[in-house]
Amino acid sequence: MSTSVSGSSVGSNRSSPVKPNTASITSHIRSEWSKFIYPHRNTEISKSDMKELMCPVDYNDKDWIRSSDAAPEPLHSDTAEEYVDYLNMSTASLCRPDIVAYKQQNPQRFDEADLNWSHLETTGEIYSKKESKAGTEAQAGAYTAYHLQARPDRVSVSGIWLKKEDKTFQLFITSACQVYHTSILSIKDHGAPSLFFAFVWSLYYPDVDPSISINTNVPLPTFTVRVSDQETYSGLKVSFTGDAIGRRTTIMTRNGLSATVIKEQYIEDGRRFNEGELLDIIHEKGVFPGVVRVGTYGPVEDQGSRISIMHKPDGHRAIVRYKTRLVLKDKGILLSKVKTIRQLLMCCYDLLEVIRNADKHRGILHRDISSGNVLVRSKHRSDNEPFAKDLGDMCFCKCLLAQSKDDSDGPSLKEKFDTDLLLTDFDSAEDKNRNNPEDSRVPKARTGTPIFMARMVRNTTHFQGIFRLPVILDVHEDVLSRYEKLYPDRVQDFPKQSRPELVEVPPNQKVDPTEFQHKQCYDAESVFWYLVWWSLLASPAYVSPNEPIPPVTWSSLTGAKDSRHFNFILPDTTFDLHSAYSEFASLLEEMRTHLIADLQFSKDPIKHRPDYLTEVFQRLILNFLIENKDKRFMVLKKSDTNREVELAAGGGAVMSKTPASGPATYASLIGNSVRSSTNVSLANKSSEGSLPPGSNSSTHGSNRGSPFPVLGPKRAFKKATLKKSRINKPTTSISTVSSGTKRGRELDELSDEDESEAKRYSRTRVPRRVSAQSVKSSPTRPESGASSSQQNSAKRRHIGE
C-alpha cells in the first residue's frame, strides 16, 4: 500500500476535493483559525522533541538509508503532480489544505469527488504572498485539528507548513492536549533532513488507537470499534466531534434502526465524575425514563495500558488526558429540530421533570442543560427493560394531559413514563451523594454552556436591588383534578400563596467561585434560556420575507459579556420573536418574573425548596399548553432555516451561526449558536446532503466545543452576506480570548474543560503572544513483539515528562 501526496499549484482553478465525512454540525467563522489557535495550547518545541514525537524509535539518518526494514516505501512524486491541480489555493479560500497525503488502495487514483477528510494521512499549507506568514502558519496548525477530528482512530496527527521561495518549513503534531510545532527551519539546517525522515515515517507508522480500524475503500470512510473480544461495532460514521484540543468528544453512530452510539473522549484525570458511573447510578433500580442508557464503558487501552496523552508546560502541573469510551443504547434528534411550540413545551415540561427527579431520587445534577444535550427520541424503546419503581410521583406531560378515563387505580408506569425526551451528556454532572473532600472526583463547581448557564453560575454575582417575586400560579382548572391525583405531594408542598413578595438583594453579593455549589434551580433556569434561544431563532415555514433578529438582542444572548439579566429579565425588555410566534412571548415574560431575584434572599421557606423554581416553570408551561391549545401559533410549523441577524447601522452586525435542518442523531456540544465578533451578517443557506450552519448532527456529545471538521455547506464571505462558493469548507474553528481582558478573567474561573466553549461565544478576540515553551521528553524504545504502529503509538503521547 503506497502513500500518495497531493500538492498545490498556483493558477489552477480547480476546487479542493477534500470532502466532509459527515453532515456539517456547527458553522463558524473560518478565518478565526487563521488568526488564533488557542495560544495557551499552541507550543513550540525543539527539533529533537518533534522528531521524538513523530518517530519515537532510535533511527538516525544512516539507519534510514541503510535498513530496508526501517525505511518506508518511497513516495511517488508523479502522483503528487497528478493531484496538484485539485488542491490549489489560487483563490486564497480558507480551510482547504494545499497538501494532503492519503493511502492509495489500488492503482487507480481517487476520483476528485471521493477524497474525504477521513482519507487523509496528513495535511499541509504552502505560504502564499496573498496571505500573511502568520496566517498560513496558523492555518497549517488548524488543518491538523480538523484532521484529528475526522480520524477517531488516531491519537495524534502531523502536518507541515512550507515556504518554497526560501526553502523553509515547520512541522506540526496535534493531540487533544496541544498543538506542537517547530520553529521555522531551513532545509539546510543541521538535522532538518532527519526531521523530514521522521515526518515521512509518521505517515506509515501513525499514532493510533488499535481498537479502531478505518475502512477507506469507500467514498465515505467508516470505522470499526472493538470494545472487547465479544463486542465489536462496524459501519460506524462520525456524527459529531467537539474541539480537537480538550476533551475531543467524538460521537459515532450507525445508519438504520440501530440505537447504538459510541462516545469517546479524552478526559483529564481526576477532574470530573465518570459519566458511565453516573448513568449507572441513575438507572441502577431500573430504567429512569427520559435519560440515555449506557452499556459498556471504561478506559481505552493499548497493549494493556490506558491510552493517554500528556503535556507539561514550564512551571505548571502536567496535564494528562485518558481516552474513555461509552456505548450508549439510545439516540435521537436534537430538540431544536421539533417543528411546533406545542412539541417544544411538552418536551421542556418533561425535561424539568427529569431534572427534579434525578436530583430528588438519585442526587444527580446535570449542570449542562443546553441545545446539544436535549434530544427527542428517534424511536421508542423496543426492549423490555423494566422501569424504576422508586421514582415516586414522577409523571410526564403526555399522561398529565391525557383525556380522563376510567383508571381508578391510576395510570400504569408505562403511561406515566411515556416521553419523547432524551437527556444526554452527563459528563459535567455531579453526584451530590459523593461530593466530599476525600473524593478525588469532586467536580468543578461552575460548568456549562455560557448562553444557557444560569446567570449566577456564569457570573457568581447576585444582582442587587429590591425586586418583586410573584406568587406561584394555581394549576389550570381543566387539569387540576388529574394533577392532584398524580402529584398529591406537590399540591401540599406548594400551597397557594396570598401575595407577591418584595425581596432585597444587598450590594456586593459576589460568591467565591471555590465555594460555589450548583443547585437544581440553576438547571431549571437553563431550561428558560433554552426556550429563549429556540423561540428567538424560530421562523415559520413558508413565510417570506424573513424577520431578522435585532443585533443587540442576539448579542445580549450570546455575547462574551453576560448582559442577559438586563436585556431579557428586567421588566419592559422585549424578546423580539418572529411576529408569527409573538404570543409565545407571554410565557417567557411570566417565567422571567420568577428569575428577577435570587431565591435564597426570599424569606418564604417554600421558595427555598430545591424544586421550587422547577415547579413554578412546570405549572406555567402546563397552563400555557392548556390555555393556548387551540391557537394557531402552537402548531405552526417552524422553518428548517432559522432567522438571520439584521445589519446594524453602518453595516455592523452579529455573526449568526444558526441551524437549519438535517438528520441529527446525537450531540452534546452546543451547536446552534452565534459567534459574535465580526461585522458580517450570515445568511442561512444549506447545501444538499449536509446540515445547515449551526446544526448539530448526532446523539450524545459534550456540549462544549467546535464541530466536526468537515468541508460542509458551501459558503464564502462577501460584503455582508454569505454566498455560495465552489468549495466545501470545514465547519470548525477555534478562537481565543486574552486573559488580560475582563472576559479572559471570567473564563479563568471556569474549568479547563469548559473554557473552550465559553471562548466560542466570546466577542472579544484579542490575540495573545505565546512565548515558546521548552518541552522535554523521555525517549522510550519499543518492546519487541508488537506491531510497528502499536509499538510506537504510546511513546509519542507524553511530552514534558
Side-chain angles (χ1 to χ4, degrees):
M1 183 180 297
S2 65
T3 297
S4 298
V5 176
S6 296
S8 73
S9 173
V10 177
S12 172
N13 56 9
R14 298 289 294 273
S15 297
S16 168
V18 182
K19 296 289 184 179
N21 184 36
T22 182
S24 65
I25 292 168
T26 303
S27 173
H28 294 278
I29 304 169
R30 296 280 60 82
S31 59
E32 288 172 355
W33 247 118
S34 66
K35 298 177 182 177
F36 320 112
I37 309 180
Y38 280 144
H40 60 301
R41 291 174 176 171
N42 181 23
T43 301
E44 182 178 312
I45 59 177
S46 66
K47 291 183 289 185
S48 59
D49 285 330
M50 180 61 74
K51 183 178 178 180
E52 181 67 26
L53 285 175
M54 289 189 166
C55 179
V57 293
D58 294 333
Y59 294 139
N60 57 40
D61 294 358
K62 293 180 180 179
D63 288 330
W64 279 83
I65 299 171
R66 193 167 51 206
S67 172
S68 59
D69 294 332
E73 298 177 23
L75 298 178
H76 300 291
S77 59
D78 57 336
T79 307
E81 293 175 1
E82 184 178 7
Y83 278 88
V84 105
D85 191 41
Y86 298 121
L87 290 139
N88 73 89
M89 280 290 289
S90 60
T91 58
S93 300
L94 296 175
C95 300
R96 199 175 62 184
D98 290 348
I99 304 168
V100 300
Y102 60 89
K103 290 181 178 178
Q104 201 153 25
Q105 308 291 344
N106 52 64
Q108 295 181 347
R109 66 174 175 83
F110 274 98
D111 185 84
E112 175 184 355
D114 293 335
L115 190 57
N116 184 288
W117 274 91
S118 294
H119 285 120
L120 306 185
E121 302 297 322
T122 193
T123 58
E125 175 76 357
I126 297 177
Y127 170 74
S128 168
K129 294 181 179 179
K130 296 181 179 179
E131 301 178 80
S132 68
K133 181 169 67 68
T136 54
E137 290 173 28
Q139 280 187 316
Y143 294 145
T144 63
Y146 301 147
H147 186 202
L148 190 65
Q149 290 177 302
R151 295 297 298 264
D153 58 318
R154 294 293 175 83
V155 179
S156 65
V157 295
S158 60
I160 190 169
W161 174 89
L162 299 170
K163 186 177 180 182
K164 295 184 289 186
E165 290 80 0
D166 55 6
K167 295 183 173 59
T168 55
F169 69 96
Q170 273 183 300
L171 294 182
F172 293 79
I173 193 164
T174 298
S175 69
C177 268
Q178 201 78 180
V179 177
Y180 296 108
H181 63 89
T182 63
S183 60
I184 296 178
L185 304 170
S186 170
I187 195 66
K188 298 179 180 179
D189 289 347
H190 176 72
S194 64
L195 193 55
F196 260 115
F197 286 141
F199 172 68
V200 174
W201 192 93
S202 71
L203 303 183
Y204 290 87
Y205 304 102
D207 188 6
V208 299
D209 171 0
S211 68
I212 304 180
S213 59
I214 183 172
N215 176 17
T216 57
N217 288 321
V218 292
L220 187 62
T222 60
F223 298 88
T224 297
V225 175
R226 180 177 53 81
V227 178
S228 66
D229 292 338
Q230 297 76 34
E231 190 175 3
T232 300
Y233 300 92
S234 59
L236 295 166
K237 296 180 181 179
V238 176
S239 297
F240 180 87
T241 69
D243 283 334
I245 314 299
R247 282 179 295 165
R248 194 189 156 191
T249 302
T250 302
I251 304 300
M252 290 179 280
T253 60
R254 289 189 288 189
N255 293 334
L257 299 178
S258 173
T260 301
V261 175
I262 307 293
K263 177 180 180 180
E264 298 186 338
Q265 291 181 308
Y266 285 79
I267 298 295
E268 193 169 344
D269 193 36
R271 295 297 299 274
R272 292 175 182 270
F273 288 121
N274 183 301
E275 182 178 6
E277 291 178 0
L278 293 179
L279 290 173
D280 267 352
I281 291 172
I282 291 174
H283 296 288
E284 63 183 350
K285 297 181 180 179
V287 174
F288 192 108
V291 175
V292 66
R293 297 169 298 155
V294 66
T296 307
Y297 63 86
V300 182
E301 296 186 348
D302 180 1
Q303 301 180 62
S305 299
R306 297 172 65 185
I307 291 179
S308 64
I309 51 177
M310 189 190 78
H311 172 68
K312 189 178 187 308
D314 288 345
H316 299 277
R317 68 174 181 83
I319 299 171
V320 182
R321 292 185 178 275
Y322 293 94
K323 186 172 185 178
T324 62
R325 178 180 293 144
L326 294 89
V327 179
L328 301 169
K329 299 180 179 180
D330 303 290
K331 68 180 180 181
I333 63 172
L334 292 173
L335 177 58
S336 61
K337 303 301 177 187
V338 299
K339 294 297 185 181
T340 68
I341 287 179
R342 177 179 173 80
Q343 291 175 291
L344 172 72
L345 290 180
M346 291 183 69
C347 284
C348 283
Y349 182 97
D350 293 353
L351 175 58
L352 290 163
E353 189 72 3
V354 168
I355 289 170
R356 75 188 299 169
N357 283 282
D359 182 16
K360 179 180 179 180
H361 297 289
R362 300 292 184 263
I364 304 293
L365 293 172
H366 189 278
R367 306 199 312 158
D368 192 13
I369 303 298
S370 54
S371 64
N373 298 339
V374 186
L375 310 179
V376 176
R377 190 183 296 275
S378 55
K379 66 185 185 71
H380 289 285
R381 289 173 46 215
S382 58
D383 56 74
N384 296 316
E385 288 189 55
F387 287 111
K389 297 181 179 179
D390 66 331
L391 300 179
D393 60 4
M394 184 179 188
C395 181
F396 292 112
C397 195
K398 285 183 184 179
C399 182
L400 191 58
L401 293 178
Q403 294 181 356
S404 298
K405 60 180 182 177
D406 184 14
D407 55 353
S408 55
D409 296 332
S412 65
L413 281 182
K414 184 177 181 180
E415 292 171 325
K416 291 176 63 178
F417 294 165
D418 184 10
T419 180
D420 296 327
L421 176 78
L422 190 62
L423 183 60
T424 68
D425 188 18
F426 283 76
D427 178 58
S428 299
E430 173 186 352
D431 181 1
K432 297 194 302 182
N433 299 326
R434 203 172 60 193
N435 193 358
N436 62 76
E438 297 179 357
D439 194 326
S440 62
R441 292 175 292 187
V442 173
K444 287 282 186 179
R446 300 171 57 236
T447 187
T449 304
I451 68 172
F452 301 106
M453 291 168 72
R455 293 154 299 150
M456 181 61 195
V457 180
R458 184 169 173 181
N459 304 301
T460 65
T461 301
H462 299 285
F463 296 96
Q464 70 179 70
I466 299 176
F467 304 100
R468 177 181 179 273
L469 283 176
V471 299
I472 186 172
L473 291 182
D474 292 333
V475 177
H476 196 280
E477 59 182 6
D478 288 359
V479 75
L480 179 59
S481 60
R482 190 166 180 83
Y483 188 92
E484 291 174 336
K485 185 175 182 179
L486 293 172
Y487 300 134
D489 292 341
R490 300 184 193 183
V491 176
Q492 297 178 9
D493 293 340
F494 303 100
K496 185 174 183 178
Q497 297 170 322
S498 58
R499 61 182 182 218
E501 178 188 11
L502 289 179
V503 175
E504 180 178 2
V505 181
N508 303 319
Q509 294 297 309
K510 186 171 180 65
V511 177
D512 185 343
T514 62
E515 299 177 358
F516 185 90
Q517 292 295 319
H518 201 88
K519 302 176 183 178
Q520 183 187 140
C521 63
Y522 298 144
D523 281 350
E525 183 178 337
S526 292
V527 176
F528 167 78
W529 292 117
Y530 183 95
L531 287 171
V532 172
W533 171 82
W534 188 97
S535 59
L536 190 59
L537 292 174
S539 175
Y542 315 117
V543 173
S544 183
N546 184 32
E547 298 177 14
I549 303 171
V552 173
T553 301
W554 190 240
S555 61
S556 297
L557 181 63
T558 63
K561 184 176 181 180
D562 189 5
S563 59
R564 294 174 298 165
H565 180 80
F566 304 101
N567 291 283
F568 292 102
I569 301 299
L570 293 183
D572 301 326
T573 55
T574 61
F575 289 97
D576 295 313
L577 307 186
H578 191 285
S579 59
Y581 297 115
S582 59
E583 293 176 84
F584 182 65
S586 62
L587 174 61
L588 301 177
E589 289 166 359
E590 286 190 89
M591 294 177 75
R592 75 179 178 186
T593 61
H594 294 271
L595 296 171
I596 192 71
D598 292 290
L599 297 176
Q600 72 181 67
F601 294 98
S602 170
K603 296 180 181 179
D604 183 356
I606 294 177
K607 292 186 176 68
H608 291 183
R609 290 183 56 88
D611 55 349
Y612 174 78
L613 188 62
T614 310
E615 177 70 15
V616 167
F617 284 175
Q618 284 187 294
R619 290 192 183 187
L620 288 171
I621 291 173
L622 182 63
N623 289 355
F624 190 85
L625 282 166
I626 296 171
E627 292 168 358
N628 296 277
K629 61 182 179 181
D630 297 324
K631 298 288 184 66
R632 181 175 179 270
F633 77 92
M634 292 290 287
V635 293
L636 182 63
K637 288 190 176 181
K638 180 173 74 75
S639 172
D640 290 339
T641 301
N642 289 329
R643 299 170 70 195
E644 302 170 4
V645 179
E646 69 178 343
L647 289 175
V654 177
M655 276 217 133
S656 169
K657 300 190 314 293
T658 55
S661 66
T665 48
Y666 176 96
S668 66
L669 290 181
I670 171 146
N672 314 320
S673 97
V674 164
R675 189 183 293 277
S676 48
S677 93
T678 9
N679 293 329
V680 180
S681 172
L682 302 187
N684 282 305
K685 306 235 182 226
S686 63
S687 57
E688 184 178 354
S690 61
L691 291 179
S695 39
N696 280 313
S697 144
S698 63
T699 33
H700 308 264
S702 158
N703 164 355
R704 291 161 296 285
S706 332
F708 181 67
V710 301
L711 300 180
K714 298 183 178 180
R715 57 194 64 246
F717 299 101
K718 185 175 181 181
K719 296 183 179 179
T721 58
L722 195 111
K723 305 254 184 205
K724 285 192 175 181
S725 118
R726 294 171 300 172
I727 66 167
N728 287 330
K729 299 182 179 179
T731 55
T732 301
S733 70
I734 298 180
S735 62
T736 188
V737 179
S738 169
S739 60
T741 66
K742 180 179 179 181
R743 179 57 181 162
R745 291 191 294 273
E746 291 176 10
L747 296 178
D748 289 341
E749 297 173 0
L750 298 179
S751 67
D752 291 340
E753 301 292 346
D754 303 307
E755 182 182 14
S756 62
E757 179 61 21
K759 290 176 180 176
R760 294 179 58 228
Y761 298 99
S762 173
R763 300 183 66 199
T764 309
R765 285 185 169 74
V766 182
R768 180 170 55 183
R769 185 177 298 277
V770 185
S771 58
Q773 303 179 37
S774 60
V775 184
K776 299 179 180 180
S777 59
S778 302
T780 320
R781 296 189 64 86
E783 297 179 5
S784 60
S787 66
S788 299
S789 178
Q790 294 184 20
Q791 282 179 344
N792 300 297
S793 287
K795 299 178 180 57
R796 59 183 74 170
R797 296 172 189 158
H798 292 192
I799 191 162
E801 292 180 285

